[in-house]
Amino acid sequence: MSTSKRKKFYVTTPIYYGTAKPHLGSLYSTLLADFVARWNKLKGNDVFFLTGTDEHGQKIADAAQKVGKDPKEFVDSFVNDYKKTWQAYEIDYTKFIRTTDDYHVKAVQQWIRDLQQKGDIYKSMYEGWYCTPCETFVTAKDIPVRPELVEGSPNGSPRCPSCSRETHKVHEETYFFKLSAYQDKLLEFYKNNPDWVVPKERLNEVIAFVKSGLKDLSISRTTVKWGIPFPDDNEHVAYVWADALNNYITAIGYGQEKFKKDFAKWWPADLQIMGKDIIRFHAIYWPAFLMASDLPLPKKLLVHGWIKIGEQKMSKSLGNVVDPMNLLKAYGADPVRYYLIRKMAITHDSPFSIQDLEQTITSDLANDLGNLLSRMVSLADKHGIYELLAPKTWSADALKLQGECVSAVKDFYTYMDEYNFHMALARLWKYINQVNAFFHSHEPWKLVKTDRDTFLEILCATAQSLRTVGLLLWPAMPNKMEKLLKSIGVVFSLDHNTIEELELCNWNHNFMLTKIPPLFVKPEVKKVTEQPKEQEKKAAPVDDIITIDAVAKIQLLVGTIDHCEEVAESEKLLKMTVNFGEKGTRQIFAGIKKQYTPEDLIGKQSVFVYNLKPRKMMGMESQGMMLLAKDADGKLQRIAPVEKVENGTRLC
Ligand code: MSP
């Protein structure tokens, strides 16, 4: 397709805080962007896919200080983790922006200057509450609506509406952005663009918030040092969200004369993807910033729900994150990609479980799709058939299957246009099962001896279907689908509009078949083949065998960490007050400062040795021991019951 005819498509992910490695939640936002980017590549569009890291602010500075590192050096290692993980998961981004990149810093400073000149940024005093983990101001407006935010707070400051942690008072000179001046313009925009946010309902929360009255937004801090210095006033650094949101324009050349054309080509973004926790920033502050700069607004915001573990959001602070690299080692990138897109509904929070992941790989991928391909190709191979030529006319049964293909493609496109990705995949699976039924009901392994023409037609109709399926699934599973297509002799290329071509459903393709190893391995098969190693391990002699009586002597109890603080003089130690219910509370120390912050632990249950002889640690008495396990990266993980139990419960 000639480049002039190609439509541009610009998609962005949120930029991730550089305080930790990516987890499954971060992978999810990024994967959705990769999926949509690839879908547009299949359409022959010219795609720019932006992702990156959010590297300034108090949260990063605090985290770096805790481990005694300079903030930049601290985030560098996590940036590597992000890049490695994205590469392993075939995330084919165009650009990775870091907010510490020089061009970004300069462009943000220019943006500030421009808005100062316009009068949209002015200096005054700010007094209010701030949540550092969320890098957000808790406004007085939140409190009358939600009195529970102040209940139980020892120093009277409200809890953050997003993460429920206590906020702290901020009283400082600051630069304000005239957000209040954009209230009516925003409401007008929402009214004229009711489909701006997907799912639609999420825009209602935004409208309600804006209608309740917008105050000017503090966009600089004097108490924070790690940030973009304000131009001509280095006492102030830019508020991290004002810095971060602008990444979407600075990455494509905003503020750089030499990239003026690029910026004009790519902006506005066609799609901005984010989780529901950060919609307020993207649907209120961000459009107001753009309006102030006389720039068009992004065409669409896609807002997804959370991946949950049990009833809780998966998050680093809750200590329940799943490392995508561990999943990759066990199941491979494409099965995990498929699972996340197929099983997590954009509109809802969705639970993640290994059991469900394994079941999905077994049933959808290995049984339904993988077996269909291998049965068809193996059967052909068994009878020395390597080339399948499309017949001039198809039988009624094959035409029926072709009709089902037309309708599956149509429905798939409708779901994709609605950003209803899990439904698009579910609909395609209905068709895969129709193809399976077609293949099996005709028993081609019998026909080969009695009716060779029909036999060849069954194989060819199956191959036509697999071609459509393989191409439509490429955005979800690029590597596996390229293998599938190769094994039926389809040359994969992005040089034309595949989506338009598939809609016509022309079953006039010829195929060259090649047998390949199974596309997907069932997790239980993998486990069985790995079992000998396990058995060898079990058979290895164990030193220091103890009897059950010795086990009975150790009192392992579950307790809730009511209080936790850092021991300032120690690099490793955290001091906890642990509540063992009727057995009272204990002061217990653990050398886990590098892995956990006090906030990570407060309110959590864990397992402790209760009857250990008290020991002195840094001059204070530790009255028990926290049980910990070292993970593959050498990090200590706490041991906790899967579901909450009564404090003081003894392990049996
Ligand atoms: N740095 C800000 C974004 C600035 S964008 C200008 C930020 N970073 S984050 O690392 O905390 O989160 C980034 C994205 O990961 C968000 O879209 C968030 O919703 C997503 N996820 C984090 N945990 C998640 C789940 N458990 N489930 C799904 N996605 C979630 O916010």
Side-chain angles (χ1 to χ4, degrees):
M1 193 187 289
S2 84
T3 36
S4 57
K5 276 199 196 146
R6 295 169 76 196
K7 261 174 55 186
K8 71 96 184 169
F9 184 80
Y10 177 31
V11 60
T12 68
T13 72
I15 48 172
Y16 303 96
Y17 286 126
T19 42
K21 293 199 298 191
H23 60 72
L24 207 59
S26 2
L27 174 64
Y28 184 55
S29 289
T30 320
L31 177 59
L32 290 178
D34 187 66
F35 179 65
V36 182
R38 286 178 186 270
W39 175 248
N40 275 275
K41 287 176 192 169
L42 268 189
K43 285 183 178 170
N45 289 344
D46 192 6
V47 173
F48 195 107
F49 165 13
L50 176 70
T51 190
T53 39
D54 190 352
E55 305 188 2
H56 289 127
Q58 190 65 47
K59 185 187 171 94
I60 309 254
D62 287 352
Q65 197 194 8
K66 233 172 244 170
V67 292
K69 282 194 178 168
D70 155 79
K72 179 69 177 16
E73 183 198 349
F74 176 71
V75 289
D76 279 350
S77 68
F78 294 121
V79 168
N80 267 339
D81 287 324
Y82 274 100
K83 288 187 174 169
K84 266 196 241 156
T85 309
W86 295 166
Q87 190 185 10
Y89 273 95
E90 304 157 72
I91 304 289
D92 191 14
Y93 55 81
T94 316
K95 182 159 183 167
F96 190 104
I97 186 171
R98 302 181 57 175
T99 51
T100 48
D101 286 338
D102 197 41
Y103 69 87
H104 170 79
V105 171
K106 287 194 176 121
V108 169
Q109 288 175 327
Q110 188 53 45
W111 174 79
I112 293 169
R113 259 190 216 107
D114 291 347
L115 265 57
Q116 275 176 324
Q117 265 171 23
K118 239 187 116 185
D120 269 334
I121 290 181
Y122 65 93
K123 205 173 188 178
S124 185
M125 280 305 282
Y126 176 80
E127 186 169 322
W129 298 283
Y130 195 75
C131 173
T132 303
C134 294
E135 297 284 16
T136 188
F137 296 97
V138 175
T139 61
K141 219 168 39 168
D142 291 311
I143 299 147
V145 196
R146 301 184 52 192
E148 76 275 13
L149 291 178
V150 257
E151 273 161 28
S153 158
N155 61 15
S157 57
R159 293 183 188 280
C160 168
S162 170
C163 72
S164 303
R165 289 191 188 89
E166 218 175 294
T167 55
H168 64 274
K169 190 98 182 196
V170 180
H171 178 86
E172 59 190 53
E173 186 191 59
T174 184
Y175 283 93
F176 282 93
F177 169 73
K178 259 194 198 162
L179 186 62
S180 58
Y182 292 92
Q183 174 166 334
D184 293 342
K185 285 184 197 146
L186 285 169
L187 289 171
E188 174 80 13
F189 173 78
Y190 304 143
K191 198 172 140 210
N192 295 335
N193 297 276
D195 298 326
W196 186 52
V197 171
V198 177
K200 243 178 164 165
E201 301 68 44
R202 296 214 195 275
L203 186 60
N204 298 337
E205 307 155 26
V206 172
I207 294 176
F209 187 86
V210 176
K211 273 193 176 156
S212 70
L214 289 181
K215 284 226 164 80
D216 288 351
L217 178 71
S218 162
I219 57 151
S220 80
R221 311 290 312 274
T222 49
T223 46
V224 179
K225 296 293 163 224
W226 177 238
I228 298 185
F230 249 59
D232 312 319
D233 195 351
N234 286 357
E235 282 299 297
H236 290 254
V237 301
Y239 166 46
V240 63
W241 274 98
D243 161 354
L245 285 164
N246 275 305
N247 92 88
Y248 300 131
I249 52 176
T250 62
I252 47 167
Y254 175 81
Q256 293 186 77
E257 196 52 38
K258 60 179 176 195
F259 293 126
K260 227 174 170 172
K261 265 198 184 156
D262 296 81
F263 182 66
K265 170 177 174 183
W266 295 111
W267 192 255
D270 295 85
L271 186 68
Q272 300 212 253
I273 298 177
M274 74 217 62
K276 65 177 187 180
D277 45 331
I278 52 176
I279 184 175
R280 199 187 279 187
F281 301 97
H282 285 83
I284 302 174
Y285 302 167
W286 181 223
F289 290 170
L290 290 166
M291 285 172 177
S293 303
D294 294 322
L295 287 173
L297 307 195
K299 292 185 192 156
K300 189 127 339 242
L301 306 187
L302 178 60
V303 185
H304 63 77
W306 289 335
I307 299 181
K308 289 179 117 182
I309 299 284
E311 280 311 300
Q312 283 183 315
K313 179 192 178 193
M314 179 188 299
S315 85
K316 191 183 158 251
S317 53
L318 292 171
N320 61 359
V321 296
V322 173
D323 183 345
M325 291 309 267
N326 289 343
L327 293 185
L328 184 104
K329 275 179 228 150
Y331 309 104
D334 279 352
V336 178
R337 285 175 64 112
Y338 170 76
Y339 174 78
L340 290 176
I341 302 170
R342 169 74 180 84
K343 287 303 194 75
M344 307 290 132
I346 300 265
T347 39
H348 293 93
D349 294 344
S350 311
F352 168 84
S353 83
I354 291 285
Q355 199 189 356
D356 192 32
L357 168 67
E358 293 197 343
Q359 214 175 321
T360 307
I361 297 175
T362 300
S363 64
D364 292 16
L365 299 180
N367 289 350
D368 298 344
L369 180 57
N371 276 352
L372 176 64
L373 173 77
S374 69
R375 282 198 193 121
M376 191 273 281
V377 178
S378 301
L379 187 61
D381 182 77
K382 190 170 162 199
H383 298 285
I385 294 157
Y386 302 102
E387 193 177 14
L388 290 175
L389 299 177
K392 295 239 156 26
T393 54
W394 293 93
S395 68
D397 279 4
L399 287 174
K400 185 167 168 261
L401 185 68
Q402 191 188 21
E404 281 160 352
C405 186
V406 172
S407 123
V409 170
K410 196 167 149 268
D411 292 347
F412 190 89
Y413 289 7
T414 307
Y415 285 127
M416 287 301 290
D417 287 345
E418 293 165 356
Y419 304 91
N420 206 342
F421 305 139
H422 76 290
M423 287 304 294
L425 294 189
R427 177 62 184 90
L428 195 61
W429 245 260
K430 186 175 161 202
Y431 179 62
I432 293 172
N433 287 329
Q434 288 168 329
V435 185
N436 266 312
F438 169 85
F439 186 82
H440 290 285
S441 66
H442 285 90
E443 301 184 319
W445 51 92
K446 287 186 185 162
L447 281 177
V448 66
K449 292 181 198 125
T450 55
D451 182 352
R452 198 172 167 86
D453 284 349
T454 311
F455 166 74
L456 289 173
E457 187 196 47
I458 306 298
L459 295 196
C460 193
T462 306
Q464 306 284 351
S465 304
L466 281 169
R467 178 180 182 275
T468 303
V469 168
L471 290 168
L472 290 182
L473 280 180
W474 179 78
M477 296 185 282
N479 184 311
K480 294 287 184 192
M481 290 309 106
E482 281 173 31
K483 285 198 170 116
L484 178 150
L485 293 168
K486 203 166 165 202
S487 92
I488 55 173
V490 176
V491 180
F492 179 74
S493 108
L494 292 171
D495 63 4
H496 65 290
N497 188 337
T498 305
I499 300 308
E500 221 168 64
E501 183 257 302
L502 287 180
E503 203 168 18
L504 303 174
C505 211
N506 278 332
W507 275 16
N508 55 3
H509 305 279
N510 302 325
F511 300 93
M512 283 300 296
L513 307 182
T514 318
K515 241 178 120 172
I516 57 166
L519 256 193
F520 302 101
V521 183
K522 292 183 191 175
E524 64 268 34
V525 172
K526 217 170 149 203
K527 275 184 200 151
V528 171
T529 49
E530 279 170 3
Q531 224 164 19
K533 269 193 236 148
E534 284 294 318
Q535 278 165 357
E536 271 166 38
K537 266 191 217 156
K538 273 185 206 142
V542 179
D543 294 334
D544 298 334
I545 287 190
I546 57 167
T547 64
I548 191 80
D549 302 346
V551 177
K553 279 190 189 156
I554 310 173
Q555 292 183 25
L556 298 173
L557 263 56
V558 177
T560 296
I561 303 161
D562 276 351
H563 182 79
C564 178
E565 63 187 49
E566 294 183 346
V567 178
E569 320 78 74
S570 162
E571 270 189 11
K572 287 193 193 157
L573 285 182
L574 291 182
K575 182 173 116 182
M576 296 168 276
T577 309
V578 184
N579 178 350
F580 292 103
E582 286 182 356
K583 296 196 171 69
T585 52
R586 289 270 175 100
Q587 169 176 289
I588 296 176
F589 290 77
I592 48 172
K593 205 175 186 178
K594 288 201 173 129
Q595 275 82 36
Y596 295 99
T597 63
E599 295 79 49
D600 292 339
L601 297 175
I602 294 170
K604 300 279 163 56
Q605 286 199 318
S606 238
V607 177
F608 299 84
V609 183
Y610 182 75
N611 59 337
L612 188 72
K613 192 174 168 198
R615 297 171 295 162
K616 284 264 163 131
M617 295 176 104
M618 303 297 284
M620 291 169 285
E621 190 172 272
S622 182
Q623 303 158 329
M625 184 177 119
M626 186 182 205
L627 288 195
L628 296 158
K630 222 177 230 177
D631 68 15
D633 299 327
K635 288 194 177 155
L636 295 168
Q637 304 279 348
R638 67 194 179 84
I639 313 293
V642 178
E643 304 287 346
K644 203 167 178 187
V645 299
E646 213 159 285
N647 286 331
T649 300
R650 186 166 174 181
L651 265 62
C652 46

